[in-house]
Amino acid sequence: MITQIKRFNYKLEIINNLKNMKFHSFFKKIYQLVFSIVLLGCLLLIGCTPKENSKNYDADVIIYGGTSAAITTAVQLKRMGKTVLILCPEKHIGGLSSSGLGFTDLGNKTVIGGISKEFYQSVYNHYQNQKAWNWQPRNEYGNEGQGTTAIDNSTKTMWTFEPHVAEKIFEDMVKKYNIKILRDKWLDREKGVEMKDGKIIAITTLDGEKYTAKVFVDGSYEGDLMAAAGVNYHVGREANSVYNEEWNGVQKEIFHHSHNFADRKISPYLIEGDSTSGVLPFISTDAPGEQGQGDHKVQAYNYRLCTTNAEGNVIPFEKPEDYNPADYELLRRVFKSGRYSMFGGGKIPNHKRDVNNVGPFSSDNIGMNYEYPEATYEKRKEILAQHISYHKGLLYFWGHDESVPQEHKDNINKWGLAKDEFVDNDHWPYQIYVREARRMLGEFVMTENEILGKSGVTQPIGMGSYTMDSHNVQRYITKNGYVQNEGDLGVDAEEPYQIHLGTILPKKRECKNLIVPCAVSSSHIAYGSIRMEPVFMILGQSAGTLAGLAIESGNDIHEVSYDKLKEKLIADQQVLEFLP
């Protein structure tokens, strides 16, 4: 090191001598150039290098997000010969499809086509191999799915699957098409979107890396890129009057499922019947609002756990460090009322279950997610931590609390998290179930009127068919002094419906080169049907097709000929019309 310093001082002496000499302006410029080169050389000699510039990346299309929609968008673009780059905030891809939601919310399977159908065909192919049934014989599994058979031999599709199988299928897609994914890349939501003339020029992630493209796709559930680009959106429920709907807004005393207290007169107070004693945890003291009124509240989130009772594959449910049994007093009172809403979920292969919310007090953490859609990354981490603690505490309560009958405790304690799932995350799902966050206000807003067939769609890019499903939005105190849930709805469409092109397009005046296949333009209740994973994959493919055609034609995404888009979608096996 001393030798290096001496060498550096010697070089500086030479440089200073040069600086004292007088030159003609022409030679002065040469001197300045030489001086810069010599100085750089000196710095290199002692191991000092200028700070490296942040990396810059470019592609035809940049996709932000790692959801199933993001992957199908990328696959479609690669099939069309375009360069594509996925910026994935998470380390694992596939969104909910590979994070616990293996009992697919399906609807009518005949309208699922294209890459979405290919995914479920890949699931089918996987489970045709007997080696895939390592915890359960195939003939013991049965064939029950969500409103349909789990396995359809006629179409070679399978609609139930283990999380790690889904993730592998997505990873195989990425490998097959040589899709470049940069993981753990988080958009700088405050100043990371550069706009010019109504277009996104570049986006920057928190690590300072910059990405340029002709077209950008927001493939996140939250719509973070959309919001950072200045596109208008909505959070919460619209009033029924906004879009002339019936099932939006506050829906007090409307019970479509069993996830409510119905006519059970359960006290919400710390001391039963004493309103002066304080309120139990997870109950709001705010007024629920008037019937049909809009609000900024969001339907409940939970984790879709992958559980099992297969001997040798069980990780027992653990007691969270901050466990407080008093947090679950309301559940004790549910038990006292004669109802044991506990542990349920759809069967998936290998003695596993995709566990979802059951009953009035369950894994849906009602009212604890209102801030999530627009929260900072740090605040979201706090919200996720609270959801995990709540959910783990609930599992532990079911298996150990004295209020739970012994037979129920014995049953649930045979179960646990699957040891062979989410192996690098303590067997807990990577992704919380973001049932709803921001929803874009785009070129066309899908409402219950389109879902129920009251209004038509002129430019379809795919189809949906699942029930308009909203989980509970709030837990409140009725005017009679009892606890009640509100917002849980299930309204069926008579037949599959078309999804308008404008639902994935921001208004042209807001952004001319952004496509949004997840946080789509729809009302709260319409989103309750659109938000299903098969539909996200469909919309992802359509988003990729639109982006590819825009690049090929040299047009903005809003200017692409719908006839050409439709022709390409049909050629690529997308279903745009329901044929009974």
Side-chain angles (χ1 to χ4, degrees):
M1 184 65 185
I2 295 174
T3 301
Q4 289 176 326
I5 294 173
K6 288 181 177 178
R7 194 178 298 163
F8 178 63
N9 289 334
Y10 174 70
K11 295 291 183 181
L12 283 181
E13 184 178 349
I14 295 174
I15 292 167
N16 288 329
N17 289 335
L18 286 171
K19 288 175 67 178
N20 292 329
M21 297 175 66
K22 295 181 180 180
F23 288 95
H24 187 273
S25 60
F26 172 75
F27 294 103
K28 188 175 182 180
K29 291 180 180 179
I30 296 177
Y31 153 71
Q32 290 172 338
L33 177 60
V34 172
F35 173 76
S36 300
I37 294 172
V38 171
L39 180 58
L40 178 60
C42 292
L43 291 172
L44 289 172
L45 279 173
I46 64 169
C48 300
T49 58
K51 185 178 179 180
E52 291 186 7
N53 291 327
S54 299
K55 294 180 180 178
N56 294 335
Y57 296 86
D58 181 72
D60 289 331
V61 180
I62 299 289
I63 302 168
Y64 183 70
T67 61
S68 59
I71 304 303
T72 58
T73 301
V75 169
Q76 179 64 20
L77 283 161
K78 293 293 283 189
R79 287 179 177 179
M80 295 176 71
K82 305 299 178 285
T83 59
V84 61
L85 174 63
I86 296 178
L87 301 179
C88 182
E90 299 82 17
K91 295 180 181 178
H92 295 268
I93 60 174
L96 260 294
S97 288
S98 56
S99 204
L101 210 168
F103 195 68
T104 305
D105 298 317
L106 184 59
N108 190 316
K109 58 191 174 186
T110 66
V111 298
I112 298 174
I115 301 171
S116 184
K117 185 176 181 179
E118 291 174 25
F119 171 83
Y120 297 102
Q121 288 174 329
S122 295
V123 173
Y124 177 91
N125 292 335
H126 173 85
Y127 287 108
Q128 289 300 299
N129 187 339
Q130 286 302 316
K131 292 181 180 180
W133 299 89
N134 54 333
W135 296 104
Q136 177 184 38
R138 165 66 187 89
N139 58 7
E140 286 186 5
Y141 173 59
N143 199 21
E144 181 182 351
Q146 176 77 282
T148 185
T149 57
I151 304 170
D152 188 337
N153 291 316
S154 63
T155 59
K156 299 189 184 309
T157 51
M158 186 167 175
W159 310 99
T160 61
F161 48 87
E162 298 160 277
H164 75 270
V165 172
E167 185 173 9
K168 183 180 184 304
I169 291 170
F170 288 123
E171 291 287 3
D172 287 347
M173 289 180 178
V174 168
K175 184 177 180 180
K176 178 179 179 180
Y177 292 100
N178 194 27
I179 297 168
K180 186 175 181 61
I181 300 182
L182 299 179
R183 305 177 196 239
D184 198 21
K185 295 294 182 181
W186 298 83
L187 176 69
D188 182 342
R189 291 160 54 191
E190 293 184 2
K191 54 183 183 299
V193 177
E194 182 180 346
M195 303 284 295
K196 183 178 180 181
D197 298 329
K199 291 184 178 182
I200 301 173
I201 301 302
I203 63 175
T204 304
T205 47
L206 289 178
D207 58 7
E209 293 182 349
K210 188 173 183 179
Y211 306 86
T212 57
K214 299 179 181 72
V215 178
F216 292 82
V217 175
D218 187 339
S220 70
Y221 292 126
E222 294 85 357
D224 282 345
L225 175 56
M226 169 194 72
V231 173
N232 281 309
Y233 59 86
H234 187 81
V235 175
R237 298 182 287 188
E238 300 90 349
N240 278 328
S241 58
V242 174
Y243 298 118
N244 191 30
E245 295 177 295
E246 179 182 0
W247 299 111
N248 211 335
V250 175
Q251 301 285 330
K252 291 179 294 186
E253 305 298 316
I254 304 295
F255 304 136
H256 288 175
H257 299 126
S258 61
H259 311 308
N260 56 77
F261 296 91
D263 57 357
R264 286 178 168 80
K265 297 180 178 180
I266 296 177
S267 174
Y269 305 114
L270 294 176
I271 300 174
E272 294 189 57
D274 182 0
S275 62
T276 66
S277 63
V279 177
L280 293 175
F282 309 116
I283 300 174
S284 173
T285 57
D286 294 337
E290 298 301 319
Q291 200 75 350
Q293 178 182 358
D295 55 32
H296 292 288
K297 299 172 182 176
V298 181
Q299 61 175 306
Y301 298 169
N302 70 345
Y303 283 89
R304 296 295 286 258
L305 304 185
C306 184
T307 64
T308 184
N309 64 351
E311 187 175 349
N313 199 33
V314 176
I315 300 293
F317 299 128
E318 66 178 359
K319 180 181 180 179
E321 292 182 1
D322 59 350
Y323 177 70
N324 182 0
D327 287 344
Y328 304 96
E329 172 60 27
L330 182 56
L331 185 55
R332 291 192 188 95
R333 296 181 188 181
V334 173
F335 292 164
K336 283 173 60 178
S337 74
R339 180 173 182 180
Y340 291 94
S341 57
M342 295 180 67
F343 195 78
K347 292 181 181 179
I348 58 178
N350 285 310
H351 279 306
K352 296 175 183 176
R353 284 183 179 269
D354 163 8
V355 177
N356 201 4
N357 183 77
V358 178
F361 191 107
S362 186
S363 61
D364 275 1
N365 196 2
I366 301 171
M368 298 296 111
N369 62 336
Y370 296 159
E371 293 181 75
Y372 180 89
E374 299 183 284
T376 63
Y377 294 133
E378 291 74 19
K379 182 62 178 179
R380 283 182 185 169
K381 287 180 181 179
E382 294 177 14
I383 294 170
L384 295 181
Q386 189 276 329
H387 276 69
I388 292 171
S389 176
Y390 166 82
H391 203 158
K392 287 183 175 180
L394 181 68
L395 294 166
Y396 186 82
F397 177 94
W398 277 338
H400 297 87
D401 196 81
E402 61 183 14
S403 66
V404 182
Q406 191 61 45
E407 61 180 302
H408 290 291
K409 286 192 282 193
D410 291 343
N411 179 49
I412 197 170
N413 285 327
K414 295 175 183 176
W415 290 78
L417 300 177
K419 183 187 291 186
D420 58 351
E421 300 290 349
F422 315 120
V423 294
D424 59 347
N425 198 47
D426 293 329
H427 314 287
W428 195 264
Y430 305 121
Q431 169 76 56
I432 196 170
Y433 196 171
V434 180
R435 290 190 172 93
E436 184 177 13
R438 299 182 182 94
R439 300 188 313 280
M440 180 171 62
L441 292 171
E443 288 285 351
F444 187 94
V445 180
M446 289 285 291
T447 71
E448 70 176 48
N449 298 304
E450 286 73 38
I451 307 294
L452 299 178
K454 297 177 182 178
S455 300
V457 168
T458 57
Q459 295 182 325
I461 56 169
M463 300 195 72
S465 60
Y466 196 76
T467 299
M468 289 192 293
D469 180 49
S470 171
H471 281 232
N472 278 305
V473 175
Q474 58 184 331
R475 180 178 287 135
Y476 68 101
I477 301 172
T478 69
K479 61 182 180 181
N480 295 321
Y482 301 114
V483 62
Q484 190 53 270
N485 293 341
E486 183 274 322
D488 188 83
L489 300 172
V491 182
D492 291 331
E494 290 187 6
E495 61 182 36
Y497 58 88
Q498 297 172 315
I499 300 173
H500 198 285
L501 167 63
T503 61
I504 65 172
L505 289 177
K507 291 178 180 177
K508 184 178 179 179
R509 65 176 181 271
E510 294 179 357
C511 191
K512 300 175 185 177
N513 67 336
L514 174 67
I515 309 175
V516 185
C518 287
V520 297
S521 178
S522 73
S523 70
H524 155 75
I525 193 59
Y527 194 76
S529 174
I530 297 170
R531 65 180 175 82
M532 304 307 159
E533 288 291 298
V535 179
F536 281 151
M537 285 189 255
I538 290 169
L539 295 179
Q541 179 179 347
S542 295
T545 306
L546 177 63
L549 292 177
I551 292 168
E552 289 174 3
S553 66
N555 293 321
D556 291 339
I557 54 175
H558 295 80
E559 307 304 324
V560 171
S561 164
Y562 174 72
D563 289 340
K564 290 184 179 179
L565 175 62
K566 179 180 178 181
E567 180 182 0
K568 179 61 176 170
L569 293 176
I570 293 174
D572 291 337
Q573 307 303 309
Q574 289 277 53
V575 179
L576 304 184
E577 184 179 4
F578 176 58
L579 301 175

